[in-house]
């Protein structure tokens, strides 16, 4: 596991990198993997059970961490009198280097599927893939932009922000800000033309707007769109970007980890399960 977590990142090929600055940035890199599955929660918010996709494909330390922590989790009461809620789940597992050369595993983020009734969730109807920025493509830069999108009652985008931009390569702080901005701007340009199906039933059907979290993956194998993830159960190294907040989302609505949302999915904020207990490590 230690060897897998120590994947070296390539430097940005378009610019001369100041080595000392790049080394400092590289220390912020996180080795992570996205684990998916389902969780079953009782009406009082306690766990009934869980299932993990491709369990045997995960490294043994990751299986041990999940087996230790998930049975202890509690959620906000589901609002149901008797029905157990079965929800999709994704977990962002991090391997953080320690001073002694070992790695500490944590579940750093979680995301849970929307309400069981699809009519209560925001869903993409039309999605134009963003154009891969020429500067990023020329430099060999890839990454993922996590958008927060404010969807109006007509299904069109009222506003959007790049909540977080994670890069797959490292450079100086100045260079990384530049490439994060390139990927963010390309994503936002495309997102303003997207259209959505809005909730028609449920407690928030009459809301003035809804907020959705949508990942946009830039992969040099294809311009924009979800792209291809690494093989399930393998560590991926990336440089996490700073977290931005939208005034129309608020802290309560925008809770959760952006990079725990799988590529190609749309998460309706404020819907579905809410984790009450700490994720743990």
């Amino acid at each position: 596991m230690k060897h897998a977590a120590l994947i070296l990142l390539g430097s940005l090929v378009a610019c001369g990198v100041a080595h000392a600055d790049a080394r400092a940035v590289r220390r912020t890199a996180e080795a992570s993997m996205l684990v998916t599955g389902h969780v079953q929660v009782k009406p009082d918010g306690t766990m009934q059970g869980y299932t993990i996709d491709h369990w045997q494909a995960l490294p043994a330390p990751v299986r041990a961490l999940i087996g230790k922590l998930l049975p202890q989790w509690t959620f906000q009461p589901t609002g149901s009198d008797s029905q157990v809620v079965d929800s999709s789940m994704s977990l962002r597992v991090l391997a953080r280097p320690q001073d002694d050369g070992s790695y500490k595993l944590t579940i750093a983020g979680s995301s849970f599927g929307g309400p069981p009734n699809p009519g209560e969730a925001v869903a993409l109807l039309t999605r134009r893939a963003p154009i891969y920025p020429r500067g990023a493509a020329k430099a060999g830069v890839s990454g993922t932009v996590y958008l927060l999108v404010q969807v109006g009652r007509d299904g069109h985008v009222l506003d959007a922000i790049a909540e977080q931009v994670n890069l797959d390569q490292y450079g100086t702080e100045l260079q990384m800000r530049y490439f994060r901005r390139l990927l963010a701007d390309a994503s936002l340009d495309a997102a303003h033309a997207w259209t959505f199906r809005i909730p028609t039933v449920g407690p928030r059907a009459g809301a003035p707007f809804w907020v959705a979290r949508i990942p946009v993956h830039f992969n040099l194998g294809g311009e924009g769109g979800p792209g291809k993830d690494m093989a399930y159960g393998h560590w991926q190294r990336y440089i996490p970007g700073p977290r931005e907040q939208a005034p129309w989302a608020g802290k309560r609505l925008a809770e959760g980890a952006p990079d725990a949302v799988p590529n190609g999915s749309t998460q309706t904020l404020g819907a579905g399960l809410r984790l009450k207990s700490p994720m743990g490590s």
Side-chain angles (χ1 to χ4, degrees):
M1 198 281 293
K2 178 178 177 180
H3 175 73
L6 280 172
I7 301 171
L8 296 179
L9 300 176
S11 59
L12 297 175
V13 300
C15 321
V17 177
H19 294 296
D21 194 1
R23 284 196 298 269
V25 173
R26 184 170 54 183
R27 286 194 291 270
T28 69
E30 296 178 344
S32 78
M33 69 173 60
L34 198 63
V35 176
T36 59
H38 277 75
V39 63
Q40 296 81 42
V41 178
K42 300 176 184 177
D44 64 358
T46 57
M47 289 277 288
Q48 173 167 293
Y50 65 90
T51 57
I52 301 296
D53 298 334
H54 310 294
W55 177 253
Q56 293 302 323
L58 301 178
V62 174
R63 297 200 304 267
L65 179 71
I66 292 172
K68 170 189 171 184
L69 296 180
L70 263 65
Q72 305 175 34
W73 280 3
T74 57
F75 295 79
Q76 296 290 346
T78 65
S80 171
D81 293 332
S82 59
Q83 186 176 6
V84 172
V85 173
D86 186 303
S87 172
S88 60
M89 166 185 67
S90 57
L91 309 173
R92 177 65 69 176
V93 181
L94 291 187
R96 290 193 171 104
Q98 304 298 295
D99 292 338
D100 62 0
S102 64
Y103 283 80
K104 181 180 180 181
L105 295 187
T106 62
I107 297 179
S110 60
S111 174
F112 301 95
N117 187 342
E120 297 182 36
V122 171
L124 268 166
L125 290 178
T126 60
R127 171 174 175 158
R128 175 176 63 85
I131 298 173
Y132 213 122
R134 181 175 299 179
K138 185 177 179 180
V141 173
S142 58
T144 303
V145 180
Y146 295 90
L147 296 179
L148 278 185
V149 179
Q150 185 186 40
V151 180
R153 294 196 58 81
D154 62 357
H156 288 84
V157 174
L158 300 176
D159 201 358
I161 70 161
E163 186 181 17
Q164 187 170 337
V165 183
N166 296 341
L167 295 179
D168 298 332
Q169 295 81 19
Y170 68 89
T172 66
E173 290 286 357
L174 182 62
Q175 290 166 342
M176 297 184 74
R177 281 200 301 270
Y178 171 73
F179 287 111
R180 285 192 176 106
R181 188 72 265 160
L182 284 184
L183 298 185
D185 287 348
S187 301
L188 291 168
D189 286 346
H192 279 94
W194 295 348
T195 61
F196 295 81
R197 185 191 69 214
I198 65 171
T200 54
V201 297
R204 301 198 67 244
F209 65 86
W210 299 268
V211 180
R213 181 178 281 136
I214 305 173
V216 178
H217 186 60
F218 288 87
N219 184 298
L220 292 173
E223 295 189 343
K228 293 184 178 180
D229 291 328
M230 292 183 62
Y232 188 82
H234 289 204
W235 294 104
Q236 177 187 8
R237 193 79 176 240
Y238 66 94
I239 309 292
R243 180 88 174 266
E244 304 292 338
Q245 290 192 350
W248 33 263
K251 292 182 179 180
R252 156 66 181 85
L253 200 59
E255 63 186 6
D259 54 6
V261 179
N263 287 333
S265 64
T266 299
Q267 181 189 45
T268 304
L269 272 60
L273 294 174
R274 291 183 60 205
L275 186 62
K276 185 178 179 180
S277 58
M279 283 177 285
S281 60

